[in-house]
Amino acid sequence: MDTASIYDIKLPDAELDVMLAIWSVEAPVTSPKLMKAIGRERGWKAPTLISFLNRLCDKGFIESYKTGKERCYTPLVDRDEYLQRMTSRFVEQYHSGSVANFLSSLYRGKKLNNEDIEALLAWLKEKYH
């Protein structure tokens, strides 16, 4: 599978949660470290986490190798690029590609407070002035 197509795969929520945990620590990461980072808070048993890790390996998101008795996992997909592509896809699919429509829905849904709006305005001024 080529890298471009990997970035177009929408991961199920649980697999995305595992990827976010992998991206949040320095690679490589072991399954016991991931159990501490995410497995216990989700109430997963080790085999459940291993199943998600195997699926992510099969999809090409991570690589797995043994070092001594431990299995290590390293991400093959860049976090920022993946999240950017998924966000763009979401805005395109649900908001006809309009960031203004997306933000409007957040505002109407009370997901944007005054602090968020001020931060957004500051970001826009920085990027476009």
Side-chain angles (χ1 to χ4, degrees):
M1 178 180 294
D2 66 31
T3 304
S5 62
I6 289 172
Y7 285 101
D8 294 328
I9 296 172
K10 183 182 183 306
L11 292 172
D13 290 345
E15 290 175 26
L16 178 59
D17 288 344
V18 173
M19 280 305 301
L20 290 169
I22 290 169
W23 282 322
S24 72
V25 296
E26 188 174 329
V29 63
T30 61
S31 52
K33 285 184 185 176
L34 286 171
M35 275 303 290
K36 286 181 186 176
I38 189 173
R40 290 185 184 145
E41 84 179 40
R42 297 288 195 294
W44 295 341
K45 304 266 188 238
T48 301
L49 176 62
I50 299 301
S51 176
F52 291 136
L53 291 167
N54 288 336
R55 287 185 211 161
L56 290 166
C57 284
D58 291 345
K59 291 176 182 178
F61 277 79
I62 59 176
E63 69 177 345
S64 168
Y65 55 91
K66 281 196 108 168
T67 302
K69 293 182 180 184
E70 297 220 302
R71 182 152 295 280
C72 297
Y73 301 91
T74 303
L76 299 174
V77 173
D78 179 74
R79 176 191 179 275
D80 292 338
E81 183 167 348
Y82 181 77
L83 294 177
Q84 183 274 321
R85 287 201 192 190
M86 288 299 108
T87 302
S88 293
R89 183 174 167 186
F90 175 84
V91 171
E92 185 63 40
Q93 183 175 1
Y94 293 101
H95 299 282
S96 302
S98 170
V99 173
N101 287 348
F102 171 66
L103 292 173
S104 178
S105 72
L106 289 176
Y107 182 75
R108 282 192 310 270
K110 307 292 185 219
K111 299 292 183 189
L112 287 177
N113 58 35
N114 286 340
E115 186 177 300
D116 293 329
I117 292 168
E118 290 296 323
L120 181 58
L121 287 171
W123 182 84
L124 288 168
K125 285 179 186 176
E126 176 188 317
K127 295 295 180 191
Y128 295 102
H129 279 112

